[in-house]
Amino acid sequence: MLSYKSILLYSSLVLQAQATVLQFTNPNICCALLHSKFPGHSKVFSSLAPQYDDLTFYWTPTAQVLPRCVFTPHNTNDVKKAVKLFARRNCQFAVRSGGHSYNPGWAGIKRGVLISLGNMNHTSYSTHTGLATVEGGSRWTDVYGALLPYNVTVLGGRNSDLGVGGYLTGGGISFYANKEGWAADNIASVEIVLGNGTVINADRTHHSDLLRSIKGGSNNFGIITKFRLMTVDATGIFNGWYMRYPLASTDAYLAAAESYCNGGVDTDTKSHIIFSASIVGTNPMTNVALMAYDGVLDPLSPPTVLEPFFDGTVANATFQWFAPNGTIKSATDGLRDAQGSGNRYTMTTVSIQVELSLLKKLRAAWLEMTTHNLRITPGFLVQFAFQPVGATWIAASEAKGGNSMGITEPLAVMWIQLRWDSKDDDNTMLQYSRRLIRRFERIASRAGKLANFRYLNYGDRFHKDDIIPSYGSGSVTRLQNTKALYDPQNVFGRLVPGGFKIPE
Ligand SMILES: Cc1cc2nc3c(=O)[nH]c(=O)nc-3n(C[C@H](O)[C@H](O)[C@H](O)COP(=O)(O)OP(=O)(O)OC[C@H]3O[C@@H](n4cnc5c(N)ncnc54)[C@H](O)[C@@H]3O)c2cc1C
């Protein structure tokens, strides 16, 4: 029989639960209010609308959650009116640009309202300022395509299908990163709709604290409707290719990787390398270097920093172009096509200071856990990858006003990428990635080489509360102060549940 005390406890839990539910307006009401603000059939779509399925399609089905309705603003004023309404009526919502986040509910919401920025996808270029203005729902393929006639480009996704909104507010690793810093560092200004519905422009003179905070601060401050981006020259040719090496070359491959990460990269910042090893289905494992060069590449006479990868130091290479003598657009479209869409997917990340013996240990741990703990079936891909954030990259970030990510010393961002076919394997794959990254942390920590930083755009749902704290206490305090100033009602924390949040 229940005691009086446990009945009281139960009743108070029920009341608390009801209060939590009542805190937000029923999403049916929110959708109806939105519909009355935007009558007609062009901006608000319920699940009965023929467009609903397309609007709730994500790059990976792992990310898919179903909102009560989808709002597709056409301009900043639409976004402003919707945010004002949601804030006043306590409606929960999500913000989506390209929808490439693989974490369910990050750029989507179960039951609430999804603001999908896909119709806000215009890019323009000013020859006067040298800046590109890119709307917040654009995809990189369109941005690159619009800018190439001017012989310029911007720092954006290596896979051209990514959206600009999530990518830029998460940091953004582009093919130009080694020279120009994070893509976010190259934002000259933003137009942003704040939680109270006001629209402001933030640049290095006005609201500079806000501009700095959104560089790595994700969706915590408002909805960015326009990014004004610095451009780089794109008159020359751009090359992208894969090098594959058999297992027998692993030691030489890791030694060459270590040397590139620890200084090599800074000797030629036109180069760009992601080092990886992949197990794809039941195929044997291979070492792969995804490389790009902002310039001419002759495989018989490569730039000095790339020589070990071509001259037999890392033996028995197979060379495969995805963008021979092309442009940034052909390279990133090539990767988009190679990476495809529609698989179940997750990523998880940690950062380290690079040391050869540590690389070997981490790779061995990955290999052991992947072969022993995972059922390798067709559709499975598990990739172990890393790339350096070198001294020139960090200096470029600092010179352009700094960001939120708090990196002061060179490191390597390391990530695990997983694909699989069946929803039935979700739990196995997610738990595997969680255990593996914990093991990496232990190994790197024991070696004294674990870096604090976790890259937001490669973060997983299990680290929802760890990503922003990994920027360090100074950055977190700055983010909290900016948040208090620009979103004092915490609209983007309270009403937007998805994404990586600033600790309160
Ligand atoms: C196949 C693949 C390749 C990738 N390659 C790279 C790469 O080369 N370099 C790299 O750095 N990352 C890469 N990523 C990671 C990628 O940067 C993130 O997934 C990023 O979030 C994608 O941007 P998006 O606009 O499509 O995001 P979305 O999924 O639309 O949004 C992600 C988050 O950003 C918020 N958000 C989106 N738009 C706005 C806005 N306008 N204002 C405020 N908040 C907003 C959303 O609310 C959400 O929380 C890759 C991911 C995948 C799956």
Side-chain angles (χ1 to χ4, degrees), residues 59 95-102 106-107 117 136 157-159 162-167 169 172-173 218-219 222-225 227 339 345 347 417 419 455 457-458 498-499:
W59 176 82
V95 183
R96 165 188 161 138
S97 174
H100 256 264
S101 173
Y102 35 83
W106 258 233
L117 299 170
R158 293 175 292 198
N159 171 328
L162 305 181
V164 305
Y167 171 91
T169 56
I173 303 180
S218 197
N219 63 4
I223 300 181
I224 296 168
T225 42
F227 294 92
Q339 293 185 324
Y345 185 91
M347 285 175 94
Q417 186 179 190
R419 287 171 191 233
Y455 179 34
N457 278 343
Y458 294 167

mmCIF file of all heavy atoms in Angstrom, residues 59 95-102 106-107 117 136 157-159 162-167 169 172-173 218-219 222-225 227 339 345 347 417 419 455 457-458 498-499, ligand 1:
data_model
loop_
_atom_site.group_PDB
_atom_site.id
_atom_site.type_symbol
_atom_site.label_atom_id
_atom_site.label_comp_id
_atom_site.label_asym_id
_atom_site.label_seq_id
_atom_site.Cartn_x
_atom_site.Cartn_y
_atom_site.Cartn_z
ATOM 1 N N TRP A 59 18.966 15.083 -44.801
ATOM 2 C CA TRP A 59 20.061 14.403 -45.486
ATOM 3 C C TRP A 59 20.180 12.966 -44.968
ATOM 4 O O TRP A 59 20.441 12.049 -45.728
ATOM 5 C CB TRP A 59 21.354 15.188 -45.243
ATOM 6 C CG TRP A 59 22.541 14.534 -45.829
ATOM 7 C CD1 TRP A 59 22.933 14.616 -47.129
ATOM 8 C CD2 TRP A 59 23.474 13.682 -45.169
ATOM 9 N NE1 TRP A 59 24.070 13.857 -47.308
ATOM 10 C CE2 TRP A 59 24.414 13.277 -46.124
ATOM 11 C CE3 TRP A 59 23.609 13.211 -43.862
ATOM 12 C CZ2 TRP A 59 25.481 12.436 -45.822
ATOM 13 C CZ3 TRP A 59 24.662 12.379 -43.558
ATOM 14 C CH2 TRP A 59 25.580 11.997 -44.529
ATOM 15 N N VAL A 95 14.898 25.686 -35.952
ATOM 16 C CA VAL A 95 15.400 26.459 -37.093
ATOM 17 C C VAL A 95 16.249 25.528 -37.946
ATOM 18 O O VAL A 95 17.111 24.815 -37.430
ATOM 19 C CB VAL A 95 16.286 27.623 -36.610
ATOM 20 C CG1 VAL A 95 16.754 28.466 -37.793
ATOM 21 C CG2 VAL A 95 15.548 28.473 -35.590
ATOM 22 N N ARG A 96 15.984 25.555 -39.231
ATOM 23 C CA ARG A 96 16.729 24.682 -40.130
ATOM 24 C C ARG A 96 17.231 25.465 -41.336
ATOM 25 O O ARG A 96 16.498 26.261 -41.922
ATOM 26 C CB ARG A 96 15.793 23.563 -40.580
ATOM 27 C CG ARG A 96 16.286 22.792 -41.758
ATOM 28 C CD ARG A 96 15.220 21.844 -42.262
ATOM 29 N NE ARG A 96 15.580 21.481 -43.604
ATOM 30 C CZ ARG A 96 15.499 20.261 -44.108
ATOM 31 N NH1 ARG A 96 15.022 19.281 -43.370
ATOM 32 N NH2 ARG A 96 15.863 20.029 -45.329
ATOM 33 N N SER A 97 18.488 25.239 -41.686
ATOM 34 C CA SER A 97 19.018 25.834 -42.919
ATOM 35 C C SER A 97 19.115 24.706 -43.944
ATOM 36 O O SER A 97 18.146 24.393 -44.624
ATOM 37 C CB SER A 97 20.369 26.496 -42.627
ATOM 38 O OG SER A 97 20.977 26.951 -43.791
ATOM 39 N N GLY A 98 20.275 24.025 -44.045
ATOM 40 C CA GLY A 98 20.396 22.919 -45.009
ATOM 41 C C GLY A 98 19.882 21.596 -44.467
ATOM 42 O O GLY A 98 19.711 20.632 -45.212
ATOM 43 N N GLY A 99 19.694 21.508 -43.145
ATOM 44 C CA GLY A 99 19.198 20.261 -42.546
ATOM 45 C C GLY A 99 20.217 19.134 -42.574
ATOM 46 O O GLY A 99 19.863 17.966 -42.627
ATOM 47 N N HIS A 100 21.510 19.484 -42.486
ATOM 48 C CA HIS A 100 22.531 18.427 -42.516
ATOM 49 C C HIS A 100 22.917 17.924 -41.134
ATOM 50 O O HIS A 100 23.706 16.984 -41.026
ATOM 51 C CB HIS A 100 23.777 18.910 -43.259
ATOM 52 C CG HIS A 100 23.867 18.331 -44.618
ATOM 53 N ND1 HIS A 100 24.609 17.218 -44.907
ATOM 54 C CD2 HIS A 100 23.263 18.683 -45.756
ATOM 55 C CE1 HIS A 100 24.471 16.920 -46.170
ATOM 56 N NE2 HIS A 100 23.664 17.801 -46.719
ATOM 57 N N SER A 101 22.389 18.544 -40.104
ATOM 58 C CA SER A 101 22.680 18.000 -38.782
ATOM 59 C C SER A 101 22.080 16.599 -38.714
ATOM 60 O O SER A 101 20.968 16.375 -39.151
ATOM 61 C CB SER A 101 22.063 18.885 -37.697
ATOM 62 O OG SER A 101 22.231 18.224 -36.465
ATOM 63 N N TYR A 102 22.864 15.688 -38.153
ATOM 64 C CA TYR A 102 22.400 14.286 -38.085
ATOM 65 C C TYR A 102 21.738 13.998 -36.755
ATOM 66 O O TYR A 102 21.226 12.905 -36.540
ATOM 67 C CB TYR A 102 23.597 13.336 -38.303
ATOM 68 C CG TYR A 102 24.848 13.908 -37.695
ATOM 69 C CD1 TYR A 102 25.127 13.756 -36.349
ATOM 70 C CD2 TYR A 102 25.682 14.717 -38.469
ATOM 71 C CE1 TYR A 102 26.241 14.356 -35.790
ATOM 72 C CE2 TYR A 102 26.796 15.324 -37.911
ATOM 73 C CZ TYR A 102 27.072 15.134 -36.581
ATOM 74 O OH TYR A 102 28.163 15.756 -36.028
ATOM 75 N N TRP A 106 17.803 18.675 -33.750
ATOM 76 C CA TRP A 106 18.719 19.825 -33.757
ATOM 77 C C TRP A 106 18.219 20.887 -34.746
ATOM 78 O O TRP A 106 18.217 22.064 -34.470
ATOM 79 C CB TRP A 106 20.127 19.372 -34.165
ATOM 80 C CG TRP A 106 21.094 19.217 -33.040
ATOM 81 C CD1 TRP A 106 22.318 19.799 -32.967
ATOM 82 C CD2 TRP A 106 20.967 18.435 -31.852
ATOM 83 N NE1 TRP A 106 22.954 19.431 -31.801
ATOM 84 C CE2 TRP A 106 22.142 18.602 -31.095
ATOM 85 C CE3 TRP A 106 19.972 17.615 -31.317
ATOM 86 C CZ2 TRP A 106 22.348 17.986 -29.863
ATOM 87 C CZ3 TRP A 106 20.177 16.998 -30.100
ATOM 88 C CH2 TRP A 106 21.338 17.186 -29.392
ATOM 89 N N ALA A 107 17.803 20.409 -35.925
ATOM 90 C CA ALA A 107 17.239 21.316 -36.928
ATOM 91 C C ALA A 107 15.832 20.829 -37.256
ATOM 92 O O ALA A 107 15.389 20.874 -38.400
ATOM 93 C CB ALA A 107 18.119 21.333 -38.166
ATOM 94 N N LEU A 117 14.410 27.518 -43.574
ATOM 95 C CA LEU A 117 14.836 28.748 -44.269
ATOM 96 C C LEU A 117 15.126 28.545 -45.756
ATOM 97 O O LEU A 117 15.642 29.437 -46.413
ATOM 98 C CB LEU A 117 16.097 29.297 -43.577
ATOM 99 C CG LEU A 117 15.935 29.697 -42.103
ATOM 100 C CD1 LEU A 117 17.301 29.989 -41.480
ATOM 101 C CD2 LEU A 117 15.035 30.924 -41.969
ATOM 102 N N GLY A 136 20.345 33.100 -45.175
ATOM 103 C CA GLY A 136 20.583 32.065 -44.159
ATOM 104 C C GLY A 136 20.110 30.664 -44.487
ATOM 105 O O GLY A 136 20.449 29.713 -43.782
ATOM 106 N N GLY A 157 31.243 24.859 -47.159
ATOM 107 C CA GLY A 157 31.287 23.404 -46.968
ATOM 108 C C GLY A 157 32.172 22.698 -47.982
ATOM 109 O O GLY A 157 32.245 23.089 -49.143
ATOM 110 N N ARG A 158 32.823 21.635 -47.510
ATOM 111 C CA ARG A 158 33.585 20.783 -48.437
ATOM 112 C C ARG A 158 32.630 19.859 -49.182
ATOM 113 O O ARG A 158 32.934 19.362 -50.241
ATOM 114 C CB ARG A 158 34.639 19.984 -47.661
ATOM 115 C CG ARG A 158 35.710 20.876 -47.079
ATOM 116 C CD ARG A 158 36.683 20.119 -46.209
ATOM 117 N NE ARG A 158 36.070 19.640 -44.981
ATOM 118 C CZ ARG A 158 36.743 19.262 -43.919
ATOM 119 N NH1 ARG A 158 38.066 19.277 -43.937
ATOM 120 N NH2 ARG A 158 36.132 18.829 -42.829
ATOM 121 N N ASN A 159 31.482 19.624 -48.573
ATOM 122 C CA ASN A 159 30.374 18.950 -49.250
ATOM 123 C C ASN A 159 29.389 20.077 -49.568
ATOM 124 O O ASN A 159 28.882 20.754 -48.662
ATOM 125 C CB ASN A 159 29.769 17.916 -48.293
ATOM 126 C CG ASN A 159 28.478 17.303 -48.794
ATOM 127 O OD1 ASN A 159 27.701 17.945 -49.492
ATOM 128 N ND2 ASN A 159 28.226 16.062 -48.412
ATOM 129 N N LEU A 162 25.722 21.064 -47.912
ATOM 130 C CA LEU A 162 25.478 21.600 -46.561
ATOM 131 C C LEU A 162 24.806 22.960 -46.652
ATOM 132 O O LEU A 162 25.019 23.707 -47.602
ATOM 133 C CB LEU A 162 26.789 21.786 -45.795
ATOM 134 C CG LEU A 162 27.739 20.604 -45.642
ATOM 135 C CD1 LEU A 162 28.950 21.023 -44.839
ATOM 136 C CD2 LEU A 162 27.057 19.433 -45.002
ATOM 137 N N GLY A 163 24.043 23.299 -45.616
ATOM 138 C CA GLY A 163 23.461 24.631 -45.534
ATOM 139 C C GLY A 163 24.444 25.608 -44.930
ATOM 140 O O GLY A 163 25.369 25.222 -44.213
ATOM 141 N N VAL A 164 24.242 26.893 -45.197
ATOM 142 C CA VAL A 164 25.173 27.888 -44.667
ATOM 143 C C VAL A 164 24.919 28.164 -43.170
ATOM 144 O O VAL A 164 25.847 28.438 -42.423
ATOM 145 C CB VAL A 164 25.133 29.224 -45.450
ATOM 146 C CG1 VAL A 164 25.383 29.005 -46.937
ATOM 147 C CG2 VAL A 164 23.845 29.978 -45.261
ATOM 148 N N GLY A 165 23.625 28.076 -42.748
ATOM 149 C CA GLY A 165 23.268 28.535 -41.396
ATOM 150 C C GLY A 165 23.917 27.726 -40.292
ATOM 151 O O GLY A 165 24.565 28.273 -39.393
ATOM 152 N N GLY A 166 23.757 26.407 -40.340
ATOM 153 C CA GLY A 166 24.321 25.551 -39.306
ATOM 154 C C GLY A 166 25.834 25.508 -39.415
ATOM 155 O O GLY A 166 26.556 25.595 -38.414
ATOM 156 N N TYR A 167 26.314 25.389 -40.645
ATOM 157 C CA TYR A 167 27.752 25.271 -40.896
ATOM 158 C C TYR A 167 28.501 26.489 -40.338
ATOM 159 O O TYR A 167 29.478 26.348 -39.601
ATOM 160 C CB TYR A 167 27.955 25.127 -42.409
ATOM 161 C CG TYR A 167 29.380 25.200 -42.874
ATOM 162 C CD1 TYR A 167 30.156 24.048 -42.993
ATOM 163 C CD2 TYR A 167 29.952 26.421 -43.231
ATOM 164 C CE1 TYR A 167 31.464 24.112 -43.436
ATOM 165 C CE2 TYR A 167 31.252 26.488 -43.680
ATOM 166 C CZ TYR A 167 32.009 25.347 -43.778
ATOM 167 O OH TYR A 167 33.304 25.418 -44.217
ATOM 168 N N THR A 169 27.501 28.944 -38.210
ATOM 169 C CA THR A 169 27.368 29.225 -36.776
ATOM 170 C C THR A 169 28.048 28.146 -35.926
ATOM 171 O O THR A 169 28.277 28.346 -34.741
ATOM 172 C CB THR A 169 25.880 29.349 -36.366
ATOM 173 O OG1 THR A 169 25.202 28.141 -36.749
ATOM 174 C CG2 THR A 169 25.200 30.536 -37.018
ATOM 175 N N GLY A 172 32.728 25.810 -39.074
ATOM 176 C CA GLY A 172 32.905 25.634 -40.512
ATOM 177 C C GLY A 172 34.346 25.362 -40.929
ATOM 178 O O GLY A 172 35.176 26.271 -40.934
ATOM 179 N N ILE A 173 34.644 24.094 -41.269
ATOM 180 C CA ILE A 173 35.962 23.758 -41.815
ATOM 181 C C ILE A 173 35.832 23.731 -43.331
ATOM 182 O O ILE A 173 35.068 22.930 -43.877
ATOM 183 C CB ILE A 173 36.467 22.387 -41.328
ATOM 184 C CG1 ILE A 173 36.518 22.333 -39.797
ATOM 185 C CG2 ILE A 173 37.840 22.086 -41.928
ATOM 186 C CD1 ILE A 173 37.013 21.008 -39.231
ATOM 187 N N SER A 218 26.342 28.716 -32.517
ATOM 188 C CA SER A 218 25.187 27.979 -33.044
ATOM 189 C C SER A 218 23.900 28.788 -32.961
ATOM 190 O O SER A 218 23.912 29.991 -33.215
ATOM 191 C CB SER A 218 25.064 26.621 -32.337
ATOM 192 O OG SER A 218 24.238 25.763 -33.075
ATOM 193 N N ASN A 219 22.795 28.137 -32.608
ATOM 194 C CA ASN A 219 21.483 28.819 -32.708
ATOM 195 C C ASN A 219 21.064 29.486 -31.396
ATOM 196 O O ASN A 219 19.885 29.646 -31.137
ATOM 197 C CB ASN A 219 20.408 27.826 -33.171
ATOM 198 C CG ASN A 219 20.196 26.700 -32.173
ATOM 199 O OD1 ASN A 219 20.799 26.701 -31.108
ATOM 200 N ND2 ASN A 219 19.358 25.741 -32.512
ATOM 201 N N GLY A 222 19.793 33.881 -32.019
ATOM 202 C CA GLY A 222 18.764 34.383 -32.923
ATOM 203 C C GLY A 222 18.814 33.619 -34.228
ATOM 204 O O GLY A 222 19.569 32.650 -34.362
ATOM 205 N N ILE A 223 18.020 34.076 -35.181
ATOM 206 C CA ILE A 223 18.040 33.438 -36.504
ATOM 207 C C ILE A 223 18.791 34.371 -37.448
ATOM 208 O O ILE A 223 18.389 35.535 -37.639
ATOM 209 C CB ILE A 223 16.612 33.191 -37.030
ATOM 210 C CG1 ILE A 223 15.857 32.279 -36.060
ATOM 211 C CG2 ILE A 223 16.665 32.589 -38.431
ATOM 212 C CD1 ILE A 223 14.437 31.945 -36.489
ATOM 213 N N ILE A 224 19.851 33.863 -38.022
ATOM 214 C CA ILE A 224 20.640 34.692 -38.932
ATOM 215 C C ILE A 224 20.011 34.609 -40.315
ATOM 216 O O ILE A 224 19.870 33.520 -40.890
ATOM 217 C CB ILE A 224 22.106 34.249 -38.933
ATOM 218 C CG1 ILE A 224 22.656 34.501 -37.526
ATOM 219 C CG2 ILE A 224 22.902 35.055 -39.956
ATOM 220 C CD1 ILE A 224 23.948 33.891 -37.235
ATOM 221 N N THR A 225 19.589 35.761 -40.790
ATOM 222 C CA THR A 225 18.889 35.794 -42.071
ATOM 223 C C THR A 225 19.850 36.127 -43.218
ATOM 224 O O THR A 225 19.605 35.731 -44.353
ATOM 225 C CB THR A 225 17.726 36.801 -42.011
ATOM 226 O OG1 THR A 225 18.176 37.977 -41.322
ATOM 227 C CG2 THR A 225 16.548 36.217 -41.265
ATOM 228 N N PHE A 227 24.232 36.490 -44.085
ATOM 229 C CA PHE A 227 25.652 36.514 -43.745
ATOM 230 C C PHE A 227 26.356 37.361 -44.807
ATOM 231 O O PHE A 227 26.126 37.144 -46.006
ATOM 232 C CB PHE A 227 26.251 35.109 -43.816
ATOM 233 C CG PHE A 227 25.720 34.145 -42.790
ATOM 234 C CD1 PHE A 227 24.618 33.334 -43.080
ATOM 235 C CD2 PHE A 227 26.326 34.009 -41.545
ATOM 236 C CE1 PHE A 227 24.140 32.429 -42.154
ATOM 237 C CE2 PHE A 227 25.846 33.091 -40.609
ATOM 238 C CZ PHE A 227 24.750 32.299 -40.910
ATOM 239 N N GLN A 339 29.502 11.484 -51.210
ATOM 240 C CA GLN A 339 28.969 11.197 -49.872
ATOM 241 C C GLN A 339 27.493 10.823 -49.905
ATOM 242 O O GLN A 339 26.985 10.250 -48.951
ATOM 243 C CB GLN A 339 29.226 12.390 -48.929
ATOM 244 C CG GLN A 339 30.731 12.550 -48.672
ATOM 245 C CD GLN A 339 31.074 13.627 -47.651
ATOM 246 O OE1 GLN A 339 30.425 14.660 -47.596
ATOM 247 N NE2 GLN A 339 32.111 13.385 -46.871
ATOM 248 N N TYR A 345 23.032 7.712 -39.933
ATOM 249 C CA TYR A 345 24.336 8.373 -39.839
ATOM 250 C C TYR A 345 24.526 9.024 -38.476
ATOM 251 O O TYR A 345 23.574 9.546 -37.889
ATOM 252 C CB TYR A 345 24.369 9.464 -40.911
ATOM 253 C CG TYR A 345 25.675 10.204 -41.085
ATOM 254 C CD1 TYR A 345 26.622 9.749 -41.989
ATOM 255 C CD2 TYR A 345 25.943 11.363 -40.372
ATOM 256 C CE1 TYR A 345 27.821 10.436 -42.188
ATOM 257 C CE2 TYR A 345 27.131 12.050 -40.554
ATOM 258 C CZ TYR A 345 28.063 11.592 -41.465
ATOM 259 O OH TYR A 345 29.231 12.268 -41.663
ATOM 260 N N MET A 347 28.007 11.218 -36.232
ATOM 261 C CA MET A 347 29.423 11.541 -36.058
ATOM 262 C C MET A 347 29.648 11.824 -34.578
ATOM 263 O O MET A 347 28.711 12.178 -33.853
ATOM 264 C CB MET A 347 29.786 12.832 -36.818
ATOM 265 C CG MET A 347 29.891 12.682 -38.288
ATOM 266 S SD MET A 347 30.172 14.303 -39.037
ATOM 267 C CE MET A 347 31.942 14.325 -39.128
ATOM 268 N N GLN A 417 32.957 8.767 -38.058
ATOM 269 C CA GLN A 417 31.772 8.925 -38.884
ATOM 270 C C GLN A 417 31.187 7.533 -39.098
ATOM 271 O O GLN A 417 31.924 6.614 -39.458
ATOM 272 C CB GLN A 417 32.244 9.522 -40.215
ATOM 273 C CG GLN A 417 31.163 9.891 -41.146
ATOM 274 C CD GLN A 417 31.713 10.507 -42.448
ATOM 275 O OE1 GLN A 417 30.930 11.006 -43.187
ATOM 276 N NE2 GLN A 417 32.995 10.469 -42.732
ATOM 277 N N ARG A 419 27.949 5.141 -40.782
ATOM 278 C CA ARG A 419 26.738 4.989 -41.597
ATOM 279 C C ARG A 419 26.244 3.578 -41.458
ATOM 280 O O ARG A 419 27.039 2.655 -41.308
ATOM 281 C CB ARG A 419 27.059 5.150 -43.076
ATOM 282 C CG ARG A 419 27.341 6.527 -43.491
ATOM 283 C CD ARG A 419 27.845 6.480 -44.905
ATOM 284 N NE ARG A 419 28.358 7.785 -45.202
ATOM 285 C CZ ARG A 419 27.999 8.509 -46.248
ATOM 286 N NH1 ARG A 419 27.152 8.034 -47.115
ATOM 287 N NH2 ARG A 419 28.497 9.694 -46.441
ATOM 288 N N TYR A 455 34.592 19.941 -31.611
ATOM 289 C CA TYR A 455 34.053 20.711 -32.733
ATOM 290 C C TYR A 455 32.533 20.528 -32.820
ATOM 291 O O TYR A 455 32.038 19.416 -33.009
ATOM 292 C CB TYR A 455 34.745 20.282 -34.026
ATOM 293 C CG TYR A 455 34.239 21.007 -35.242
ATOM 294 C CD1 TYR A 455 33.836 22.345 -35.148
ATOM 295 C CD2 TYR A 455 34.161 20.386 -36.465
ATOM 296 C CE1 TYR A 455 33.358 23.019 -36.260
ATOM 297 C CE2 TYR A 455 33.695 21.051 -37.582
ATOM 298 C CZ TYR A 455 33.285 22.371 -37.469
ATOM 299 O OH TYR A 455 32.806 23.043 -38.561
ATOM 300 N N ASN A 457 30.221 21.216 -35.005
ATOM 301 C CA ASN A 457 29.565 20.653 -36.193
ATOM 302 C C ASN A 457 29.759 19.151 -36.334
ATOM 303 O O ASN A 457 29.104 18.525 -37.167
ATOM 304 C CB ASN A 457 30.069 21.359 -37.461
ATOM 305 C CG ASN A 457 29.332 22.669 -37.692
ATOM 306 O OD1 ASN A 457 28.275 22.893 -37.125
ATOM 307 N ND2 ASN A 457 29.896 23.531 -38.518
ATOM 308 N N TYR A 458 30.674 18.578 -35.548
ATOM 309 C CA TYR A 458 30.854 17.124 -35.558
ATOM 310 C C TYR A 458 30.374 16.502 -34.234
ATOM 311 O O TYR A 458 30.676 15.350 -33.938
ATOM 312 C CB TYR A 458 32.323 16.754 -35.812
ATOM 313 C CG TYR A 458 32.839 17.118 -37.196
ATOM 314 C CD1 TYR A 458 34.199 17.091 -37.488
ATOM 315 C CD2 TYR A 458 31.969 17.471 -38.229
ATOM 316 C CE1 TYR A 458 34.669 17.419 -38.765
ATOM 317 C CE2 TYR A 458 32.437 17.814 -39.491
ATOM 318 C CZ TYR A 458 33.784 17.784 -39.753
ATOM 319 O OH TYR A 458 34.246 18.107 -41.007
ATOM 320 N N GLY A 498 16.331 22.297 -29.566
ATOM 321 C CA GLY A 498 17.370 21.554 -30.280
ATOM 322 C C GLY A 498 18.682 22.305 -30.379
ATOM 323 O O GLY A 498 18.719 23.532 -30.400
ATOM 324 N N GLY A 499 19.783 21.535 -30.437
ATOM 325 C CA GLY A 499 21.094 22.134 -30.690
ATOM 326 C C GLY A 499 21.973 22.148 -29.445
ATOM 327 O O GLY A 499 21.568 21.687 -28.370
HETATM 328 C C1 LIG B 1 28.063 14.596 -45.165
HETATM 329 C C2 LIG B 1 28.487 15.721 -44.252
HETATM 330 C C3 LIG B 1 29.608 16.457 -44.588
HETATM 331 C C4 LIG B 1 30.027 17.498 -43.760
HETATM 332 N N1 LIG B 1 31.144 18.208 -44.095
HETATM 333 C C5 LIG B 1 31.545 19.224 -43.304
HETATM 334 C C6 LIG B 1 32.692 20.016 -43.633
HETATM 335 O O1 LIG B 1 33.343 19.822 -44.644
HETATM 336 N N2 LIG B 1 33.057 20.994 -42.784
HETATM 337 C C7 LIG B 1 32.367 21.265 -41.644
HETATM 338 O O2 LIG B 1 32.750 22.166 -40.921
HETATM 339 N N3 LIG B 1 31.272 20.560 -41.326
HETATM 340 C C8 LIG B 1 30.840 19.552 -42.109
HETATM 341 N N4 LIG B 1 29.729 18.838 -41.764
HETATM 342 C C9 LIG B 1 28.973 19.198 -40.560
HETATM 343 C C10 LIG B 1 28.038 20.372 -40.887
HETATM 344 O O3 LIG B 1 28.772 21.564 -40.859
HETATM 345 C C11 LIG B 1 26.890 20.479 -39.865
HETATM 346 O O4 LIG B 1 26.074 19.346 -39.944
HETATM 347 C C12 LIG B 1 26.072 21.769 -40.083
HETATM 348 O O5 LIG B 1 25.184 21.925 -39.014
HETATM 349 C C13 LIG B 1 25.335 21.738 -41.387
HETATM 350 O O6 LIG B 1 24.730 22.978 -41.655
HETATM 351 P P1 LIG B 1 23.194 23.075 -42.048
HETATM 352 O O7 LIG B 1 22.875 24.492 -42.280
HETATM 353 O O8 LIG B 1 22.879 22.097 -43.107
HETATM 354 O O9 LIG B 1 22.586 22.649 -40.655
HETATM 355 P P2 LIG B 1 21.096 22.458 -40.100
HETATM 356 O O10 LIG B 1 20.952 20.990 -39.868
HETATM 357 O O11 LIG B 1 20.086 23.135 -40.917
HETATM 358 O O12 LIG B 1 21.227 23.207 -38.713
HETATM 359 C C14 LIG B 1 22.198 22.842 -37.743
HETATM 360 C C15 LIG B 1 22.027 23.736 -36.504
HETATM 361 O O13 LIG B 1 22.229 25.098 -36.851
HETATM 362 C C16 LIG B 1 21.078 25.912 -36.511
HETATM 363 N N5 LIG B 1 20.865 26.885 -37.594
HETATM 364 C C17 LIG B 1 20.743 26.594 -38.920
HETATM 365 N N6 LIG B 1 20.580 27.729 -39.616
HETATM 366 C C18 LIG B 1 20.590 28.751 -38.732
HETATM 367 C C19 LIG B 1 20.456 30.170 -38.866
HETATM 368 N N7 LIG B 1 20.302 30.744 -40.064
HETATM 369 N N8 LIG B 1 20.496 30.918 -37.751
HETATM 370 C C20 LIG B 1 20.667 30.343 -36.532
HETATM 371 N N9 LIG B 1 20.804 29.006 -36.350
HETATM 372 C C21 LIG B 1 20.773 28.219 -37.440
HETATM 373 C C22 LIG B 1 19.923 24.903 -36.413
HETATM 374 O O14 LIG B 1 18.922 25.369 -35.558
HETATM 375 C C23 LIG B 1 20.625 23.643 -35.915
HETATM 376 O O15 LIG B 1 20.707 23.614 -34.514
HETATM 377 C C24 LIG B 1 29.297 17.793 -42.576
HETATM 378 C C25 LIG B 1 28.152 17.065 -42.253
HETATM 379 C C26 LIG B 1 27.744 16.036 -43.067
HETATM 380 C C27 LIG B 1 26.534 15.246 -42.692
#
